[in-house]
Amino acid sequence: DTEVTQTPKHLVMGMTNKKSLKCEQHMGHRAMYWYKQKAKKPPELMFVYSYEKLSINESVPSRFSPECPNSSLLNLHLHALQPEDSALYLCASSQTNGGTDTQYFGPGTRLTVL
Amino acid sequence: AQSVTQLGSHVSVSEGALVLLRCNYSSSVPPYLFWYVQYPNQGLQLLLKYTSAATLVKGINGFEAEFKKSETSFHLTKPSAHMSDAAEYFCAVSDLTQGGSEKLVFGKGTKLTVNP
């Protein structure tokens, strides 16, 4: 099973709301990633967790707060977002954070900020 | 920092024709290279990857890519296009950060259209 699941599929939120995106994998992978993808653009890395520890934060604004409660779960907490944060948020996982490891992507959460 | 450049943001081919999507990398050391495909409103799926084992890499759905060090290229090909190949294709390279972690750096993508 090479599946990464993400919930919800779609999310509409106001600028004052607090919401969370959830990502789950059961492949025994120890690295998990959050990407942001704007329309007609490539994915941009936001965060990397390796063995449940944050290893990369690509200077993401603090209104995005990642959390890795265990090796199978990855959350992205959202607070006071801006309309320009509207995008497809992709989660991925890989065996480890090694250079040759394949990243498996979830279907994404389409976020709209009003 | 490592990077990849995809030549051609749009490629259009007829069904049954050769597919050629271009990717050039910039790296001073042998890179790890990947091709991913993204269908509309979906996540990314790995087509194939180069990890220095063999220069000709075969992937899923009949795609293959050849690593050419002399040309710093990793072009993606498929002998005969199918309508279902219409999608966005991303070339990516693995880059080591200052903190010692690996991250994927994507090219800008090439949208493939297949005409009947």
Side-chain angles (χ1 to χ4, degrees):
Chain A
D1 182 13
T2 56
E3 190 179 24
V4 175
T5 59
Q6 289 187 244
T7 54
K9 211 170 176 177
H10 299 275
L11 179 62
V12 179
M13 60 186 289
M15 288 190 284
T16 58
N17 291 157
K18 282 186 183 180
K19 296 285 184 183
S20 297
L21 309 184
K22 181 180 170 182
C23 173
E24 198 163 1
Q25 57 87 14
H26 295 288
M27 295 178 277
H29 290 173
R30 302 311 299 271
M32 296 186 79
Y33 311 77
W34 280 117
Y35 289 86
K36 174 182 178 180
Q37 186 178 27
K38 301 282 276 186
K40 301 186 190 306
K41 298 288 186 184
E44 294 177 1
L45 183 66
M46 299 174 72
F47 303 104
V48 180
Y49 274 84
S50 181
Y51 292 88
E52 295 102 72
K53 289 192 184 339
L54 185 66
S55 61
I56 298 180
N57 176 340
E58 291 285 90
S59 303
V60 178
S62 60
R63 57 185 183 268
F64 295 91
S65 175
E67 179 197 20
C68 189
N70 59 57
S71 60
S72 301
L73 270 176
L74 186 65
N75 298 318
L76 186 63
H77 302 297
L78 315 172
H79 174 54
L81 295 193
Q82 304 296 310
E84 59 264 29
D85 297 321
S86 298
L88 181 68
Y89 287 84
L90 294 164
C91 174
S93 72
S94 61
Q95 192 70 39
T96 67
N97 185 226
T100 62
D101 290 335
T102 298
Q103 290 187 26
Y104 295 88
F105 285 79
T109 293
R110 176 79 58 189
L111 174 67
T112 303
V113 182
L114 300 176
Chain B
Q2 313 230 35
S3 65
V4 288
T5 302
Q6 292 184 241
L7 298 172
S9 57
H10 287 86
V11 169
S12 182
V13 300
S14 299
E15 194 173 16
L18 171 72
V19 175
L20 171 61
L21 304 181
R22 300 176 188 274
C23 174
N24 288 88
Y25 67 89
S26 99
S27 171
S28 57
V29 297
Y32 301 131
L33 295 161
F34 304 78
W35 274 102
Y36 280 87
V37 62
Q38 185 175 31
Y39 299 100
N41 300 312
Q42 292 188 27
L44 280 71
Q45 181 183 13
L46 180 74
L47 284 174
L48 49 81
K49 65 180 180 182
Y50 169 75
T51 58
S52 73
T55 56
L56 183 61
V57 182
K58 293 189 184 299
I60 62 170
N61 302 339
F63 284 94
E64 64 180 39
E66 187 172 7
F67 176 77
K68 291 188 177 180
K69 187 178 176 182
S70 60
E71 300 177 7
T72 62
S73 69
F74 189 58
H75 301 332
L76 183 71
T77 60
K78 181 174 180 177
S80 176
H82 193 271
M83 297 295 289
S84 60
D85 294 326
E88 188 87 24
Y89 291 79
F90 293 99
C91 182
V93 64
S94 187
D95 192 23
L96 186 64
T97 66
Q98 285 188 334
S101 295
E102 293 280 350
K103 68 174 191 178
L104 279 180
V105 177
F106 289 90
K108 294 190 175 185
T110 298
K111 183 174 181 179
L112 176 66
T113 301
V114 182
N115 303 305

